[in-house]
């Protein structure tokens, strides 16, 4: 059993969960760039895995220079560069999918908590938060050989709790 297998569950498509974040952004008229979306998705994933003990996404985050990146979400929104995203992620035939939050109250709770507490921060600030000492991202970078950020490290990452009002 690998470290990533310790969290039970099959996981969800990352772009579907990203669409749930974008739904809030569009509703609240809050601009979200691809980089900001990546960081919000990372924090949602960490908190979900911590509170449920289940893996959230089918795809793992990679430790890129400016913080954690989920490659599928990156590829979907890379054309926006540093500009706000103006559409939902789509599949190959143009269909848009989101997670039914009524069927996952735990996910809705985490999405709402992260969104309400972090929507006002810039992508650069959120990137700096992911770089904090002891974060799941920093652990993967420190090990240098790690191509992915482990789900178990993400579930144990408390370095952003202060932004959620959960700090000391």
């Amino acid at each position: 059993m690998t470290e990533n297998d310790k969290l039970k569950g099959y996981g969800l498509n990352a772009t579907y969960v990203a669409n749930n974040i974008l739904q809030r952004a569009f509703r609240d008229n809050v601009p979200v760039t691809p980089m900001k979306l990546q960081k919000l998705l990372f924090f949602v994933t960490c908190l979900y895995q911590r509170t449920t003990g289940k893996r959230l996404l089918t795809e793992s985050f990679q430790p890129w220079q400016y913080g954690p990146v989920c490659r599928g979400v990156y590829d979907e929104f890379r054309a926006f560069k540093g500009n706000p995203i103006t559409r939902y992620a789509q599949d190959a035939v143009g269909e848009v999918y989101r997670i039914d939050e009524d069927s996952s109250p735990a996910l809705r709770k985490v999405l709402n908590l992260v969104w309400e507490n972090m929507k006002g921060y810039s992508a650069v600030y959120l990137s700096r938060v992911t770089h904090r000492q002891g974060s799941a991202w920093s652990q993967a970078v420190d090990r240098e050989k790690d191509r992915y950020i482990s789900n178990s490290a993400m579930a144990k990452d408390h370095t952003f709790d202060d932004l959620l009002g959960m700090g000391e």
Side-chain angles (χ1 to χ4, degrees), residues 1-101:
M1 178 184 297
T2 67
E3 206 172 352
N4 279 341
D5 293 333
K6 291 179 184 173
L7 289 169
K8 303 295 183 221
Y10 296 104
L12 302 170
N13 183 304
T15 58
Y16 296 4
V17 179
N19 280 343
N20 286 70
I21 295 169
L22 290 172
Q23 182 179 28
R24 287 162 170 78
F26 299 154
R27 176 195 71 204
D28 296 349
N29 199 27
V30 174
V32 172
T33 62
M35 185 168 146
K36 183 171 181 173
L37 179 62
Q38 290 284 351
K39 304 323 164 225
L40 293 170
L41 182 61
F42 178 75
F43 295 130
V44 165
T45 304
C46 289
L47 190 57
Y48 179 87
Q49 293 179 170
R50 182 194 321 166
T51 57
T52 67
K54 296 177 184 171
R55 182 178 177 142
L56 179 61
L57 305 176
T58 55
E59 186 178 348
S60 295
F61 282 87
Q62 298 174 358
W64 287 19
Q65 179 181 358
Y66 296 109
V69 170
C70 196
R71 185 62 193 237
V73 174
Y74 172 82
D75 290 342
E76 179 67 26
F77 295 110
R78 71 190 304 166
F80 287 96
K81 300 180 180 173
N83 299 308
I85 296 168
T86 57
R87 64 163 177 80
Y88 291 109
Q90 302 170 359
D91 70 6
V93 294
E95 294 293 323
V96 171
Y97 295 98
R98 291 187 298 272
I99 304 304
D100 176 10
E101 294 178 30

Side-chain angles (χ1 to χ4, degrees), residues 94-130:
E95 294 293 323
V96 171
Y97 295 98
R98 291 187 298 272
I99 304 304
D100 176 10
E101 294 178 30
D102 289 337
S103 67
S104 182
L107 178 58
R108 178 182 347 178
K109 182 177 180 180
V110 168
L111 282 162
N112 286 338
L113 183 63
V114 169
W115 178 252
E116 288 306 319
N117 287 282
M118 295 185 174
K119 67 183 174 186
Y121 293 113
S122 71
V124 171
Y125 180 78
L126 294 176
S127 175
R128 287 184 188 134
V129 171
T130 67

